[in-house]
Amino acid sequence: MTQSTVLELQRLSHVYVNDKGASLAVEGIDLAVARGEFVSLVGPSGCGKTTVLSLLAGLFPPTGGKVLLNGEKVNGPSAKVGYMLQQDYLFPWRTIRDNAAVGLEINGTKSKTTMRAVEEWLAELGLAGSSQKYPHELSGGMRQRVALARTLVTEPEVLLLDEPFSALDLHIKLQLEDLVQQTLQRLGKTAVLVTHDLAEAVAMSDRVIVLGRNPGHIRKEIVIPEEIRAANPISARKLPQFQSVFEELWAELDAVDGGGEKNG
Ligand code: ADP
Ligand code: MG
């Protein structure tokens, strides 16, 4: 572990056991993520992306190897790690403000001060006027911004993002990619994104990890060139270097799948 490593996976493996038997989902994954780094995991459906993210979040212990957060073994969910998912899981009967405070309630840190922070985050993410509304009154993109506010207000060091943009229309998706990346960069947060959208991975990340399956393992790591990293995700797509990195990634996934589907 170097000085700035926040997250570390060491020989991580996981076997799921259920009534149908045991299956090895991921095997021998080694990965170190530096403070402030944005890493994406891509790979075909079933290659273990969600499993890796769940293990990072401490939702269940790995059957082999370990996860370290700031050099300490992860033994369960931690307030230092925030999660953002494809579904926003907002409670329909709560206002936006009260939904954004759910993480604080779970962590036992709800107070006058932190509720002010909720309002500030909602305003920062363009939701000031929606604070007293209910989830059904908001668009999909707005709801994901509430989910982001709910996570950020708990001040996690690490954000885990499991396809948070994949249910959104393209235009909204690009805007939200920009907002999320710029916000996390400004705050110096460390992030791990799972996505099946290769352009999104290239546009948002410092590094893209390609996983192969049966069982899930790391096939390749692509470091995103500085020019693309320096640009926000929307402008990054227009850079001349973008296409070649995208094609490199595409070719790698074709090799995984033998030209089959890339989704997942
Ligand atoms: P991805 O997110 O890349 O699509 P997952 O991490 O969801 O992949 O799944 C990896 C493998 O583990 C798949 O073969 C999947 O069927 C299996 N798996 C995932 N969750 C469970 C579970 N709760 N019980 C049994 N097998 C599971
Ligand atoms: Mg998944």
Side-chain angles (χ1 to χ4, degrees):
M1 187 179 101
T2 64
Q3 198 67 45
S4 71
T5 301
V6 175
L7 272 178
E8 196 168 10
L9 306 181
Q10 293 180 346
R11 307 310 299 161
L12 190 76
S13 297
H14 194 70
V15 176
Y16 284 107
V17 181
N18 58 26
D19 51 5
K20 291 186 211 102
S23 69
L24 180 59
V26 293
E27 186 174 43
I29 299 204
D30 286 310
L31 180 68
V33 182
R35 187 168 306 285
E37 195 179 14
F38 196 118
V39 171
S40 290
L41 305 178
V42 299
S45 184
C47 72
K49 303 180 295 294
T50 296
T51 301
V52 170
L53 226 54
S54 304
L55 293 168
L56 285 173
L59 299 185
F60 45 80
T63 55
K66 55 189 166 183
V67 178
L68 302 175
L69 176 62
N70 295 321
E72 282 174 33
K73 193 171 168 194
V74 169
N75 288 315
S78 152
K80 291 182 185 149
V81 178
Y83 227 113
M84 195 175 162
L85 305 168
Q86 181 174 349
Q87 262 190 291
D88 52 56
Y89 294 104
L90 299 179
F91 296 116
W93 59 86
R94 282 182 165 224
T95 62
I96 294 311
R97 176 179 183 271
D98 288 346
N99 264 294
V102 164
L104 297 174
E105 288 171 23
I106 291 171
N107 292 345
T109 51
K110 190 175 171 182
S111 68
K112 253 196 175 135
T113 312
T114 56
M115 283 311 290
R116 249 199 315 277
V118 166
E119 297 286 2
E120 282 164 15
W121 267 119
L122 289 175
E124 175 76 30
L125 298 174
L127 294 162
S130 303
S131 175
Q132 295 308 316
K133 290 188 177 161
Y134 288 86
H136 73 89
E137 299 177 80
L138 270 56
S139 67
M142 291 169 90
R143 293 171 59 118
Q144 279 301 46
R145 279 185 270 148
V146 179
L148 180 62
R150 179 183 60 194
T151 303
L152 289 176
V153 79
T154 64
E155 301 189 350
E157 278 183 57
V158 175
L159 267 101
L160 304 177
L161 311 156
D162 198 350
E163 308 215 6
F165 314 114
S166 61
L168 304 170
D169 293 338
L170 182 63
H171 182 70
I172 302 294
K173 174 193 172 95
L174 295 179
Q175 282 179 344
L176 203 62
E177 281 176 20
D178 254 29
L179 181 68
V180 168
Q181 199 238 31
Q182 303 281 306
T183 305
L184 299 188
Q185 196 168 56
R186 179 164 56 80
L187 299 171
K189 302 286 185 200
T190 306
V192 180
L193 169 74
V194 162
T195 180
H196 64 263
D197 180 337
L198 301 186
E200 178 176 295
V202 175
M204 292 189 78
S205 316
D206 298 315
R207 194 151 52 110
V208 180
I209 310 292
V210 182
L211 299 178
R213 59 183 160 191
N214 300 324
H217 62 281
I218 294 183
R219 273 183 68 96
K220 185 165 185 160
E221 183 180 297
I222 294 178
V223 175
I224 302 301
E226 187 49 45
E227 298 87 338
I228 298 177
R229 287 198 229 176
N232 64 42
I234 292 178
S235 334
R237 286 173 163 80
K238 297 168 192 146
L239 293 171
Q241 299 93 331
F242 189 87
Q243 196 57 28
S244 64
V245 179
F246 180 87
E247 274 161 20
E248 183 185 356
L249 195 52
W250 180 270
E252 194 58 41
L253 280 200
D254 253 357
V256 176
D257 255 1
E261 54 105 30
K262 294 180 178 64
N263 287 348

